[in-house]
Amino acid sequence: MPTREQLLALTDELRRLRSGGERSVAVTEESMEQLRVAVSAAAAIPADAAVARVAGPQFLAASPTPAPAPVASRPVAAPKPAPAPALPAAPTVTLPEGDKRARWAALHELVVNDPVCRAQLRPGKKVVLGVGSLESRIFFCGEAPGAEEEVQGEPFVGPAGQLLTRMIQGMGLKREDVYIGNIMNWRPELPAGPSGIQVGNRPPTAEEMNYCLPYLKAQIEIVQPQLIVALGATAAGGLLGAGTFKTLGEIKGRWHQFAGKSVMVTYHPSYILRNNSNRSKRSIWEDLLQVMERVGLPISDKQRNFFL
Ligand code: URA
């Protein structure tokens, strides 16, 4: 039977698929039955019970046994996102003169003290700005902070972040060598459990992304990367415009443009956490090989053949 964490991961993935334009997923009868049983059992668990981390697969290790092939296709209603809060107009960001470090520090002050961003937080949680090398040629852009990120105030530190770090290492780099940010500076809110703890994530609304976009553009202006890697459909929608594509497949693995920078669109690492097949890993890896080629990183034969 799926665990509570797997159910949460599944609902996150369904929301992500829906925001990427998918309207149905294939589910076997057997899986449907397991889900029915698991949902009834999960309903009996307090919503704020401690959530153990889902152990992320080793990005560079062999895949576990693949899930049985889907045999039937039926529409699955994804959970409804919370109604979007009314937000004021997006901020106008004017960066001070100075070196990159000073400009980033000024932006950080601005963002973490932004009353609109702060108003979206639950008590004790943090506004999150990007981190990493201000000299990086590569700017990884994700969707929004999750549970771990809003606690630590740093993007991609949870399970998806650990996988992203391994992907970066696969490229022959260290996490600190690149810049990692998100479209959003806060974790989009979902109704909390009885004791006020949010379980699960939802993709940000267009209004929320629009509010945070000036902060992302300011980070790009400071770092001046050669290119951006958009991780997943929501990040791609935030950068390229959600109306410019119907499914991630239309734009994945190709070069696009945002703020005068080349953008490579690929899967979100959490997709690989849930689809840990060599095929999925090879697919994301081929996008990263294009990125490595474009920034002139050395590529060994071993790297070229990962997941083949
Ligand atoms: N997923 C994202 O898109 N960003 C994070 O910071 C963490 C998980």
Side-chain angles (χ1 to χ4, degrees):
M1 186 176 82
T3 63
R4 180 177 176 77
E5 293 74 44
Q6 286 168 324
L7 280 175
L8 289 172
L10 175 65
T11 52
D12 281 0
E13 180 63 8
L14 285 173
R15 289 190 188 101
R16 216 167 247 121
L17 285 171
R18 186 176 54 181
S19 75
E22 299 293 343
R23 287 292 173 269
S24 67
V25 293
V27 184
T28 60
E29 269 311 325
E30 188 193 358
S31 301
M32 276 307 288
E33 192 45 41
Q34 283 186 340
L35 277 172
R36 276 186 212 108
V37 173
V39 167
S40 338
I45 303 170
D48 59 349
V51 175
R53 283 196 167 182
V54 182
Q58 294 296 310
F59 179 67
L60 302 178
S63 311
T65 319
V71 293
S73 184
R74 70 165 65 179
V76 171
K80 281 197 176 150
L87 296 174
T92 303
V93 181
T94 310
L95 291 169
E97 295 297 318
D99 62 16
K100 287 185 172 190
R101 197 178 276 269
R103 298 179 99 203
W104 186 89
L107 178 65
H108 186 259
E109 272 305 291
L110 197 65
V111 176
V112 298
N113 292 309
D114 178 328
V116 176
C117 295
R118 293 178 67 88
Q120 314 303 317
L121 303 178
R122 291 188 194 278
K125 302 299 189 284
K126 293 184 179 161
V127 175
V128 180
L129 187 68
V131 289
S133 166
L134 302 182
E135 303 304 328
S136 176
R137 285 170 292 168
I138 307 174
F139 189 125
F140 286 94
C141 181
E143 176 178 318
E148 282 87 351
E149 289 79 16
E150 68 168 358
V151 168
Q152 295 189 38
E154 182 170 332
F156 282 102
V157 289
Q162 288 155 22
L163 178 54
L164 178 61
T165 301
R166 293 199 291 278
M167 286 159 51
I168 292 165
Q169 288 165 349
M171 297 168 76
L173 298 170
K174 295 200 283 289
R175 182 178 161 100
E176 316 80 83
D177 295 334
V178 300
Y179 194 85
I180 303 174
N182 277 316
I183 301 278
M184 293 296 301
N185 301 106
W186 66 80
R187 182 183 185 195
E189 191 181 8
L190 276 175
S195 66
I197 294 175
Q198 176 173 333
V199 179
N201 297 302
R202 70 163 167 85
T205 63
E207 189 190 17
E208 289 171 327
M209 292 199 281
N210 186 49
Y211 186 85
C212 293
L213 219 47
Y215 292 141
L216 180 69
K217 284 185 179 158
Q219 291 170 83
I220 295 167
E221 191 184 327
I222 293 169
V223 179
Q224 284 298 328
Q226 185 179 334
L227 58 86
I228 299 167
V229 181
L231 299 166
T234 307
L239 297 177
L240 311 178
T244 59
F245 61 96
K246 285 207 178 87
T247 64
L248 187 66
E250 284 171 34
I251 53 168
K252 184 194 158 294
R254 300 207 192 90
W255 291 104
H256 307 267
Q257 283 287 309
F258 176 74
K261 304 289 171 197
S262 300
V263 178
M264 169 55 64
V265 175
T266 193
Y267 291 136
H268 193 282
S270 59
Y271 173 83
I272 303 294
L273 287 178
R274 289 183 275 281
N275 299 275
N276 187 26
S277 65
N278 265 17
R279 190 158 164 228
S280 311
K281 287 190 279 192
R282 178 67 197 178
S283 180
I284 202 169
W285 183 245
E286 282 178 3
D287 302 338
L288 295 181
L289 283 174
Q290 288 197 62
V291 167
M292 291 169 74
E293 269 162 14
R294 192 159 283 209
V295 298
L297 280 172
I299 306 178
S300 66
D301 285 347
K302 188 174 169 200
Q303 282 171 312
R304 221 169 261 293
N305 292 325
F306 277 163
F307 312 120
L308 280 181

